[in-house]
Amino acid sequence: MRIFIAGTGFSGAMIAKQLVNAGHEVFGLNRKGVLDSVPQVQMLSGNVLDPRSLAPLQALPEMDVMVSALSATGVKDRNLYRELYVEGPVRIARMLPWAGESKCWLLGSTGVYGEERGEWVTEDTEARPLHHGGQVQLEAERALRAEMGHLSVLRLSGLYGPSRTRLIRQALRKRPYFKADLWSNQIHVEDVAGVVGYVIENELMPEVLLVSDDHPVQRQEIFDWIRQETGYVEGVYDEDHPGAGRNRGNKRVSNERLKGLGYRMIHPDYRSGLRHYLPSIP
């Protein structure tokens, strides 16, 4: 297949690698127009914050599939965050003459769910985001759905992988701060790429699909395991620290529908996914 990936950052680059290795012809878009980690990808340069820079997309040959993987990691400005996630994919789609007929998979977020008492959420749970990030993500889904012929949203839980090991750094503080009983849901970037490759190759387009590992877990279990595995067992958890957070994101994400489609996790739980990174953390 001929596949276009809009955004080749942390997730997009891994998806590109997965698809190239599967024998697909892959095109990509980022601000620099290069992707050193996967040189087989035919890259274009463009910045969604500068609509004029996207004009070369009009000459892009028709694609069988588009994957929207734009990222606003680290962006604190609310208006900029919204522009990247809502306006960005729409601006790209409007430059593509074939967008109205193309299949598109959008990387979304489980942040669109407002549950904060440890409830389970599934694809049938109503999306009622309580916070700005989730509200923007839901708006982004609706905006892109209006532009693309066929859209499937892959709502990801907490993303981690190479260079994204925040949980480990938090756990290894001398006095880690967090609320012990908050539920955490994780997905390794290799499984994100695996799921994207799987749904594309099997032509699976559910309106919404939750992408999370098999094991929602309370924070203390993860932190205890990290400290035991590294031998760093001293220290006191501080639940009263201002940075410990409230109940935000305190839910359990079900991946039963994903597994029912036949996908098998590369990293079914946090132990499988995080263990590789433990030795590299001081």
Side-chain angles (χ1 to χ4, degrees):
M1 284 188 225
R2 181 178 281 172
I3 301 172
F4 173 54
I5 303 175
T8 57
F10 184 64
S11 298
M14 188 66 74
I15 292 168
K17 182 179 179 181
Q18 168 88 16
L19 296 174
V20 165
N21 289 343
H24 299 289
E25 184 181 8
V26 180
F27 294 73
L29 173 75
N30 64 23
R31 284 176 293 179
K32 295 182 179 179
V34 295
L35 185 60
D36 292 334
S37 61
V38 195
Q40 302 94 326
V41 176
Q42 301 177 59
M43 293 297 300
L44 298 90
S45 64
N47 184 347
V48 295
L49 300 179
D50 177 11
R52 291 174 299 179
S53 74
L54 301 176
L57 290 176
Q58 294 174 313
L60 192 67
E62 184 172 352
M63 299 284 130
D64 300 300
V65 167
M66 172 175 160
V67 178
S68 181
L70 297 179
S71 173
T73 302
V75 174
K76 303 297 183 184
D77 182 272
R78 288 189 166 208
N79 292 329
L80 182 58
Y81 185 88
R82 182 189 176 279
E83 186 175 4
L84 284 165
Y85 275 123
V86 179
E87 301 297 336
V90 168
R91 288 170 181 168
I92 290 171
R94 289 178 178 174
M95 288 290 177
L96 304 172
W98 40 266
E101 303 298 325
S102 178
K103 296 177 180 179
C104 179
W105 281 266
L106 168 67
L107 300 191
S109 170
T110 56
V112 300
Y113 299 109
E115 280 67 19
E116 294 190 333
R117 297 181 180 178
E119 304 98 322
W120 281 98
V121 297
T122 72
E123 288 81 358
D124 296 324
T125 303
E126 184 180 356
R128 294 180 295 182
L130 301 179
H131 306 287
H132 179 257
Q135 292 163 358
V136 169
Q137 292 287 343
L138 187 58
E139 184 183 1
E141 292 181 13
R142 292 168 175 167
L144 190 57
R145 193 175 299 281
E147 301 293 331
M148 303 302 299
H150 311 277
L151 180 71
S152 178
V153 181
L154 306 176
R155 291 176 177 165
L156 312 183
S157 64
L159 185 61
Y160 73 100
S163 78
R164 287 203 186 183
T165 52
R166 183 170 59 91
L167 280 175
I168 297 176
R169 295 195 301 274
Q170 288 177 335
L172 295 182
R173 290 190 177 107
K174 188 171 183 179
R175 191 177 180 88
Y177 53 82
F178 71 105
K179 290 192 178 297
D181 60 351
L182 292 187
W183 287 95
S184 179
N185 305 275
Q186 311 294 326
I187 187 67
H188 196 287
V189 68
E190 290 178 357
D191 274 305
V192 173
V195 169
V196 171
Y198 185 82
V199 295
I200 289 175
E201 292 179 1
N202 289 279
E203 298 185 354
L204 301 171
M205 291 207 72
E207 183 174 336
V208 171
L209 186 65
L210 302 188
V211 182
S212 193
D213 70 21
D214 295 345
H215 189 51
V217 61
Q218 290 178 306
R219 285 293 179 92
Q220 182 154 356
E221 179 182 329
I222 299 180
F223 279 35
D224 284 349
W225 176 82
I226 291 171
R227 293 169 76 86
Q228 289 166 5
E229 289 292 309
T230 57
Y232 195 74
V233 295
E234 296 182 0
V236 178
Y237 295 126
D238 184 357
E239 295 196 60
D240 296 322
H241 189 284
R246 292 167 288 179
N247 290 339
R248 186 168 177 172
N250 185 32
K251 56 183 173 282
R252 287 175 281 178
V253 177
S254 170
N255 70 358
E256 288 302 309
R257 187 165 298 178
L258 173 62
K259 291 193 294 184
L261 293 175
Y263 182 77
R264 294 296 174 260
M265 306 298 297
I266 301 169
H267 299 288
D269 62 20
Y270 68 90
R271 296 179 184 89
S272 168
L274 287 175
R275 191 182 303 277
H276 175 73
Y277 306 114
L278 292 176
S280 64
I281 303 297

